[in-house]
Amino acid sequence: MIRRTLLVVGLVLGLASVAAADNFRCPNGEIVSTGDRLSIVAMKCDPPTYKSSRTESEAGYRGATILVSVEEWTYNEGPNRLVHILTFKNGILDSVQTAGFGK
């Protein structure tokens, strides 16, 4: 009985972590998800409307400062479509945000 309960709890937690991934449907129809490498997203998606990059610092172990490379890709497909911002940290898709309708 305990074994069965642990199995069910493990499955639920596993599914919850999969459901937490953000997905983005590229303008050409391909789908990418958080955790994908920048190179994979570049191969699957059309070029973004706009790109920006910066370096951020984060607190590390024992007060050390860690530099993180951040790149944002903006997809603006016009006034009838939502603008999407893909944020990459150290070359990995970290988040997908929606920023209202485009222009």
Side-chain angles (χ1 to χ4, degrees):
M1 182 68 178
I2 292 175
R3 191 173 188 186
R4 181 181 238 172
T5 303
L6 288 175
L7 178 64
V8 170
V9 169
L11 287 172
V12 169
L13 290 175
L15 291 174
S17 66
V18 171
D22 290 328
N23 294 323
F24 172 65
R25 184 177 298 276
C26 304
N28 63 10
E30 293 280 344
I31 296 176
V32 296
S33 302
T34 53
D36 287 350
R37 294 188 167 280
L38 188 143
S39 58
I40 297 298
V41 177
M43 286 190 311
K44 286 185 171 185
C45 291
D46 296 331
T49 309
Y50 177 75
K51 284 185 186 182
S52 67
S53 59
R54 65 184 182 277
T55 302
E56 294 180 351
S57 59
E58 295 181 356
Y61 181 69
R62 292 193 176 187
T65 300
I66 299 171
L67 296 179
V68 178
S69 171
V70 178
E71 191 166 328
E72 289 184 343
W73 291 9
T74 303
Y75 285 90
N76 182 348
E77 299 179 70
N80 298 324
R81 304 287 305 267
L82 292 171
V83 173
H84 291 90
I85 301 169
L86 280 59
T87 303
F88 297 88
K89 289 188 176 181
N90 290 333
I92 304 295
L93 183 56
D94 184 66
S95 69
V96 178
Q97 299 172 345
T98 304
F101 286 93
K103 294 185 179 187

